[in-house]
Amino acid sequence: MTVGDPPDSPGLAAPHPTDIDGGRRLVLFLPGHDPTDMDYHHGRFANQAGRFAALWSCRAEVSALRHEPELPVSLWSARSEGPNWRQATDFALLRWDDIVVALDQRLAVTRLWRGLAALLEFARNGTSRRYFKATLRYGIFCLFPVGILVLFLLAGLLAGLAAGLGIGFLLPPGQAGHPALLVGLSVGLLVFLGLFHQPGRRWRLHQALDDWDLARDYLHGRSPVMDERLARFADYLVERVRNGGYDEVILVGHSLGATLALRVLVLAFARDPELGRRGTRLNLLTCGATIPKFSLHPGAAAVRAEAEQIAQRPDLFWTEYQARHDAINFYKYHPVKLCRAEFDTAEYGQPILKNANLKQMISREKLRALRWHIMRLHYQSLLANEMKAPYDFFMIALGPVPFAGLCASRNGPISLFADDGSVLPPGRAPDIETASDPRNPASLPQDAQEDAS
């Protein structure tokens, strides 16, 4: 399908010899704890690619969805073209939605028991307290499942009390004790379980409890299914770098997927230590990331070691985009050094932290409307922008500028593209290295200045 074309457009034009050719890019997307099916992922990507094309005055063509034979990978191709540039992208989704669905199909009592046990462990060993020190919003967010369960429990207690009192009025004095207690407990339990089913599912309480349960097992090495899946992802990454003929590979880890991406890269480099020196630029993009959710746990030595190992690799470029309005990421917190950190500085080593300022990406009206839609804001880093901004996921995926160059420019694509969507010539584009000098406050992206104020 072709998106972003003007009416009656015949599609993408034939390449012109003077055009800027971005080469071939592979984007490997590793999602978080998300049961979304592949048809929806593909449809959303095509729809958002159309919005990206309209915003940046370019065109994009997205192929049909296909699946790698006998591999947990679904993919599609995209061709994008601006006034003086073109780019070919393969977008591969590393699938573990079946693992999420299997967790979701468990009995309610299993979900409650295991989810609460995981939350209790994170609270007992002080990890939850460290979340509050790292970033207040995530600390509050981690209390969400507990708060909802307490609300449902109070509703069940009130309903049970009312039912017990009602039975007490109906039965003769002296005969209401045990029946009232039995009815009260039964009604209270039914109300609690009913609320847990709905609106618990609609409020993503089930997903949250499953996520904490999986996090605990992953930390303690008790998730063989996930370990096997990540090993297959690593094999796929190695094979595509060796044989895919790509100029650039970007591994995108979103939410929990950011932590899993570290393991994938560690395994991939263990299989092929020269992977980053085979002529294909290797990059890691983490967004909406929750790496410190694991790293701040006392038993997360393996996760901390993986993050440190990837951060020290000179043959891989790692950038993390963080958003203040996203309560599910650790804003202005370095996922390797585990300390508060500023944007656009190499002081802490990789990853370089960048600001994905939602105020610049979507309208204030939309941001206000989504204020309490926590998960929707969490996914904005994977969607097309309404306005041209320093962070643009689809420009990273479909644009002609290499990932490292896009991250290094002062205002991302705004500094590199003209109003008509063409790439600015080198003489007119800002000097990337000078523009991103973290020692000069005036050189920082406007979103970083705004957030620091």
Side-chain angles (χ1 to χ4, degrees):
M1 65 189 77
T2 301
V3 292
D5 283 340
D8 303 322
S9 168
L12 299 183
H16 191 277
T18 60
D19 286 350
I20 297 171
D21 190 343
R24 295 187 66 224
R25 174 184 296 128
L26 173 64
V27 177
L28 295 170
F29 175 49
L30 185 49
H33 192 106
D34 187 354
T36 303
D37 65 71
M38 296 305 107
D39 287 333
Y40 182 86
H41 272 293
H42 174 257
R44 182 177 67 185
F45 184 94
N47 174 271
Q48 298 296 309
R51 299 187 180 195
F52 155 77
L55 177 65
W56 289 96
S57 303
C58 62
R59 290 176 288 178
E61 183 179 84
V62 180
S63 75
L65 173 67
R66 61 188 188 277
H67 306 285
E68 289 282 15
E70 301 180 0
L71 284 173
V73 177
S74 297
L75 67 160
W76 53 86
S77 300
R79 292 177 58 221
S80 46
E81 180 184 282
N84 67 341
W85 60 267
R86 60 185 176 274
Q87 176 66 43
T89 300
D90 288 338
F91 193 96
L93 204 151
L94 305 179
R95 300 183 54 176
W96 60 287
D97 54 300
D98 57 315
I99 298 176
V100 177
V101 170
L103 288 171
D104 184 60
Q105 291 176 342
R106 298 180 300 176
L107 295 174
V109 64
T110 303
R111 172 176 289 116
L112 277 166
W113 175 259
R114 293 188 58 84
L116 287 173
L119 286 167
L120 180 61
E121 176 181 318
F122 278 74
R124 188 175 58 246
N125 62 29
T127 305
S128 299
R129 185 175 65 255
R130 297 183 191 99
Y131 294 157
F132 281 92
K133 291 183 178 180
T135 174
L136 178 62
R137 291 194 179 197
Y138 194 86
I140 296 174
F141 170 75
C142 78
L143 296 178
F144 158 76
V146 178
I148 298 300
L149 285 172
V150 168
L151 181 65
F152 291 168
L153 182 61
L154 289 175
L157 288 173
L158 290 175
L161 180 61
L165 291 175
I167 292 296
F169 282 117
L170 294 176
L171 294 178
Q175 300 180 14
H178 292 297
L181 178 62
L182 181 61
V183 169
L185 290 175
S186 300
V187 170
L189 180 61
L190 289 174
V191 168
F192 173 80
L193 292 177
L195 291 172
F196 181 73
H197 177 69
Q198 285 294 356
R201 177 172 293 278
R202 187 170 65 251
W203 291 354
R204 295 181 180 264
L205 176 60
H206 295 198
Q207 185 177 356
L209 291 173
D210 290 346
D211 182 78
W212 283 103
D213 181 20
L214 177 65
R216 181 181 61 157
D217 281 350
Y218 185 79
L219 276 171
H220 295 302
R222 299 197 300 255
S223 183
V225 175
M226 181 61 73
D227 293 341
E228 186 272 340
R229 188 63 52 90
L230 297 181
R232 297 182 72 183
F233 292 159
D235 291 338
Y236 184 75
L237 170 59
V238 171
E239 191 278 329
R240 299 311 293 163
V241 171
R242 287 175 175 174
N243 305 314
Y246 294 105
D247 299 281
E248 177 173 65
V249 171
I250 306 175
L251 176 60
V252 179
H254 178 252
S255 195
L256 172 57
T259 303
L260 303 180
L262 298 175
R263 176 75 55 83
V264 170
L265 286 168
V266 167
L267 294 173
F269 282 115
R271 285 158 170 72
D272 185 355
E274 299 299 316
L275 190 67
R277 302 182 181 92
R278 296 189 176 278
T280 298
R281 299 184 300 272
L282 289 184
N283 307 276
L284 173 62
L285 163 62
T286 49
C287 52
T290 59
I291 296 172
K293 170 182 178 177
F294 295 82
S295 300
L296 290 172
H297 190 288
V303 174
R304 291 191 291 269
E306 289 167 355
E308 188 69 35
Q309 179 179 339
I310 297 305
Q312 292 180 356
R313 292 210 64 100
D315 50 358
L316 178 135
F317 179 76
W318 178 10
T319 294
E320 175 159 305
Y321 281 88
Q322 301 175 347
R324 182 168 64 90
H325 292 88
D326 178 5
I328 313 180
N329 74 163
F330 285 75
Y331 182 69
K332 282 194 172 182
Y333 194 78
H334 200 277
V336 178
K337 300 301 182 183
L338 298 179
C339 64
R340 297 288 294 171
E342 295 300 322
F343 295 129
D344 300 281
T345 173
E347 175 184 355
Y348 308 94
Q350 294 201 97
I352 303 299
L353 304 187
K354 306 281 287 185
N355 193 354
N357 193 332
L358 268 61
K359 289 182 178 179
Q360 295 182 335
M361 296 160 59
I362 58 178
S363 67
R364 290 185 179 273
E365 293 76 19
K366 187 169 188 176
L367 183 59
R368 191 177 302 113
L370 295 175
R371 179 172 299 176
W372 300 108
H373 296 263
I374 297 175
M375 294 302 296
R376 173 59 180 80
L377 292 174
H378 185 50
Y379 281 98
Q380 183 58 48
S381 58
L382 302 174
L383 305 178
N385 296 346
E386 292 183 344
M387 301 176 289
K388 295 179 180 179
Y391 174 78
D392 191 308
F393 177 73
F394 277 81
M395 184 58 80
I396 291 171
L398 303 183
V401 181
F403 178 63
L406 201 62
C407 294
S409 64
R410 185 176 67 175
N411 278 317
I414 296 177
S415 299
L416 303 176
F417 288 79
D419 291 339
D420 65 353
S422 60
V423 178
L424 291 169
R428 291 181 57 193
D431 180 79
I432 291 178
E433 185 175 352
T434 301
S436 61
D437 185 354
R439 297 167 296 183
N440 178 11
S443 74
L444 294 179
Q446 183 179 354
D447 54 356
Q449 298 181 50
E450 176 184 340
D451 195 76
S453 64

